[in-house]
Amino acid sequence: MADTSIMKELPESPLTVSLDDGIAMIEAGDAPETLCVDIGHGTVIRADGVHGLQGLLQRLRGHRMILALSSGETAPSVVPMRSGKPDMHPDVAAILDALKDQG
């Protein structure tokens, strides 16, 4: 018999959206915990790991990046993996600004 201790019961018809819609919903904070995302070829993924929707968001962004790179899309159109801006120490920012001004 299968181990059902880690299985979650989903509502009868969980919301299933496209890759881009799933990313947009999670980024906007509008995604339900039971969100399912259709990534194509009959594959649907959901937030079933310990990291919840944020873990799903990272997987979706990674999948979108792989799709973009495999289709020959140029790098500037690929969305960064990290949401938000990383914190930078003021001294590091000053050094980078000085280097940018020299170039």
Side-chain angles (χ1 to χ4, degrees):
M1 177 169 243
D3 179 17
T4 59
S5 62
I6 60 170
M7 295 178 72
K8 292 182 185 178
E9 186 173 330
L10 293 176
E12 288 183 25
S13 57
L15 178 62
T16 302
V17 297
S18 69
L19 176 63
D20 289 331
D21 289 344
I23 291 172
M25 287 178 71
I26 297 170
E27 287 176 339
D30 297 332
E33 287 293 323
T34 57
L35 178 69
C36 292
V37 181
D38 183 348
I39 60 171
H41 304 288
T43 304
V44 177
I45 60 174
R46 60 188 173 96
D48 57 358
V50 295
H51 299 291
L53 287 173
Q54 288 305 307
L56 176 61
L57 178 60
Q58 294 306 315
R59 292 193 316 257
L60 294 175
R61 286 177 174 164
H63 185 72
R64 182 170 63 184
M65 181 180 288
I66 290 170
L67 289 174
L69 293 174
S70 68
S71 70
E73 203 171 311
T74 57
S77 64
V78 177
V79 176
M81 294 295 283
R82 182 179 292 188
S83 62
K85 236 180 154 181
D87 292 330
M88 186 180 306
H89 192 278
D91 292 343
V92 173
I95 292 168
L96 293 175
D97 287 342
L99 290 172
K100 184 171 60 174
D101 291 339
Q102 289 179 1

Short mmCIF file of all heavy atoms in Angstrom, two decimals, residues 10-14:
data_model
loop_
_atom_site.label_atom_id
_atom_site.label_comp_id
_atom_site.label_asym_id
_atom_site.label_seq_id
_atom_site.Cartn_x
_atom_site.Cartn_y
_atom_site.Cartn_z
N LEU A 10 -6.41 17.94 -2.15
CA LEU A 10 -6.68 19.15 -2.89
C LEU A 10 -8.18 19.33 -3.07
O LEU A 10 -8.93 18.36 -3.04
CB LEU A 10 -6.03 19.08 -4.28
CG LEU A 10 -4.51 19.09 -4.31
CD1 LEU A 10 -4.01 18.93 -5.73
CD2 LEU A 10 -3.97 20.37 -3.72
N PRO A 11 -8.62 20.56 -3.28
CA PRO A 11 -10.03 20.75 -3.57
C PRO A 11 -10.39 20.01 -4.86
O PRO A 11 -9.50 19.66 -5.64
CB PRO A 11 -10.16 22.26 -3.76
CG PRO A 11 -8.84 22.85 -3.62
CD PRO A 11 -7.86 21.78 -3.27
N GLU A 12 -11.65 19.81 -5.09
CA GLU A 12 -12.07 19.03 -6.25
C GLU A 12 -11.51 19.56 -7.55
O GLU A 12 -11.11 18.81 -8.41
CB GLU A 12 -13.60 18.96 -6.31
CG GLU A 12 -14.16 18.07 -5.23
CD GLU A 12 -15.66 17.95 -5.33
OE1 GLU A 12 -16.22 18.12 -6.42
OE2 GLU A 12 -16.26 17.68 -4.29
N SER A 13 -11.47 20.87 -7.72
CA SER A 13 -10.93 21.44 -8.95
C SER A 13 -9.98 22.59 -8.61
O SER A 13 -10.40 23.74 -8.55
CB SER A 13 -12.04 21.92 -9.87
OG SER A 13 -12.84 22.86 -9.21
N PRO A 14 -8.70 22.28 -8.34
CA PRO A 14 -7.75 23.35 -8.01
C PRO A 14 -7.56 24.27 -9.22
O PRO A 14 -7.70 23.86 -10.36
CB PRO A 14 -6.47 22.60 -7.67
CG PRO A 14 -6.59 21.28 -8.34
CD PRO A 14 -8.06 20.98 -8.40
#
